[in-house]
Amino acid sequence: MRAMGGDQVTEAVAGCVATLGTVVDRDWEGVTAGRLEWSCRETAVHVADDLIGYAANLVGDAQDDYVPFEISLEEGTDNSGVLHVVRTTGALLAAAVRTAPRGARAFHPYPFRSADRVGFAAMGVAEVLLHTHDMAQGLEIPYRPAEELAEFVLTFLFPHVQPGPTPWETLLWATGRGELPGRAPVTEWRWRNNLVLAADRLDLVGIRPAEARDLRLGGDGGFEWIEGGPYEGTRDAAGFLLKAYDAGVHRPEFGVFALVRREDGRAVGGLGFHSAPDEEGRVEIGYDLVEAARGHGYATEALRALADWALARDDVNSLFGTTERAITASQAVLARAGFTRVSEDGEGPAYELRAGR
């Protein structure tokens, strides 16, 4: 999977500047941007402020809050100057994304208090696309970005939203700016960066739909794998994630995680849920490791971290997993992680771990 983020930021900003550049002689201060309360000029400054803010958090390794600054324009800056600032701050975010280490994560409040470099890029693109739409609506000029940019935002920030007729129409609906046949209007919305759980030596990195699609098609999903990876089970799990996403039933926190070794940033396996918890709070898990990573305790470590996170939630009461009868190593992993053998139906034994163990 090619490196993503910087090019998308550059393309989105170029589209914004080209669209609004046709009306720099108009009054932006006296025109409201679409359904927003801001004027078009205030909205453009907001876009620039977000772009530089995302870049600052990423390169500044902010972990607890935004870097404490904001931009201000010199008195007398005209609309062309505002667009110059948007173009410049967009270039800074694109550069930050391209140069950030693969595993870099920095503060963003929703929903899990961090985002990676692609997440910051997707948030920047979302701000540009949506607010250019708002400003174009207020100024009564046409604007429609490339569908690939809208899809980039959806597959990295809106994994809980079922794809619609086109990515752009879906993104407008998902952010309360449009309608889709058969779907209720959206009045409140949030995007969702991926969940990352820390184990002792590993990070469990939530896989997003775009990454799952690449894995299913034989790619690396944007991860650097040790030799022999990813294993077949991870690719199969990515396929199940995609089916849930396409059906509109994907709950990202109950998806699939890549197991990334912290010492070198390389992925060694996959772990995740088969679905969201059922009505009784029961959910099935599955996992695999690249052959070269086996025998080091990674699966047990990752499973414990995932179990601790899941069983601390109000909607999960128990986890269970099944193994083939002949795969004793997998059975040992479940036992070491605290699971109890509860049955031996079908092709092999089943194990369960309940809350309050």
Side-chain angles (χ1 to χ4, degrees):
M1 184 177 185
R2 71 182 180 89
M4 299 193 71
D7 291 349
Q8 285 80 3
V9 172
T10 299
E11 182 180 352
V13 170
C16 167
V17 172
T19 297
L20 297 176
T22 63
V23 289
V24 291
D25 58 338
R26 301 265 297 276
D27 176 18
W28 290 12
E29 190 64 61
V31 177
T32 301
R35 301 181 184 182
L36 304 181
E37 295 181 354
W38 299 328
S39 71
C40 288
R41 184 180 173 90
E42 289 172 323
T43 303
V45 174
H46 168 79
V47 170
D49 204 32
D50 278 343
L51 292 171
I52 192 62
Y54 293 155
N57 268 29
L58 186 57
V59 300
D61 192 30
Q63 295 298 313
D64 301 312
D65 205 341
Y66 290 108
V67 176
F69 77 99
E70 61 183 18
I71 63 172
S72 61
L73 303 183
E74 290 186 354
E75 186 175 351
T77 300
D78 61 11
N79 293 336
S80 294
V82 173
L83 287 185
H84 191 182
V85 174
V86 170
R87 185 170 64 249
T88 302
T89 53
L92 290 172
L93 177 58
V97 170
R98 292 185 180 114
T99 57
R102 181 187 296 266
R105 294 190 75 86
F107 173 81
H108 187 274
Y110 191 81
F112 304 117
R113 297 188 64 78
S114 74
D116 64 1
R117 59 184 185 178
V118 186
F120 277 110
M123 290 188 291
V125 172
E127 295 285 354
V128 173
L129 299 189
L130 295 170
H131 288 320
T132 302
H133 163 80
D134 297 333
M135 289 182 279
Q137 196 174 56
L139 293 164
E140 298 181 338
I141 57 175
Y143 173 71
R144 188 180 183 103
E147 294 292 340
E148 292 79 7
L149 288 177
E151 184 176 27
F152 171 66
V153 173
L154 288 169
T155 55
F156 279 96
L157 294 182
F158 292 85
H160 53 295
V161 172
Q162 183 179 20
T166 70
W168 179 234
E169 290 173 315
T170 305
L171 182 59
L172 290 178
W173 171 81
T175 58
R177 290 172 168 84
E179 298 180 354
L180 283 183
R183 302 196 193 184
V186 172
T187 56
E188 295 183 2
W189 61 274
R190 291 276 192 175
W191 56 48
R192 300 178 67 87
N193 281 293
N194 62 333
L195 173 64
V196 175
L197 302 174
D200 292 337
R201 297 169 294 169
L202 305 169
D203 285 324
L204 283 61
V205 181
I207 295 174
R208 294 159 285 203
E211 297 158 335
R213 181 174 293 114
D214 186 70
L215 283 167
R216 192 63 187 133
L217 293 175
D220 58 19
F223 299 94
E224 182 181 357
W225 293 84
I226 64 170
E227 184 178 357
Y231 206 62
E232 181 180 353
T234 298
R235 296 197 188 279
D236 290 342
F240 295 137
L241 186 158
L242 280 177
K243 287 182 180 179
Y245 172 65
D246 289 337
V249 296
H250 178 49
R251 288 181 58 185
E253 65 271 35
F254 288 104
V256 183
F257 298 82
L259 308 183
V260 178
R261 197 162 54 191
R262 202 172 294 123
E263 67 179 25
D264 59 4
R266 303 182 74 187
V268 300
L271 168 71
F273 302 95
H274 287 203
S275 66
D278 63 20
E279 294 179 354
E280 297 178 353
R282 192 166 183 257
V283 60
E284 183 175 3
I285 53 90
Y287 54 89
D288 70 3
L289 288 179
V290 179
E291 289 189 17
R294 296 173 186 175
H296 299 283
Y298 291 138
T300 302
E301 176 183 322
L303 186 52
R304 284 173 176 161
L306 188 69
D308 287 344
W309 174 83
L311 292 174
R313 296 174 58 94
D314 293 337
D315 55 353
V316 178
N317 293 321
S318 65
L319 307 177
F320 75 98
T322 59
T323 69
E324 295 181 19
R325 187 170 288 104
I327 306 180
T328 57
S330 185
Q331 296 168 30
V333 167
L334 288 163
R336 286 195 297 268
F339 285 68
T340 301
R341 192 164 177 158
V342 292
S343 69
E344 196 160 350
D345 298 329
E347 297 181 355
Y351 289 76
E352 184 178 44
L353 180 62
R354 300 189 65 83
R357 63 192 188 281

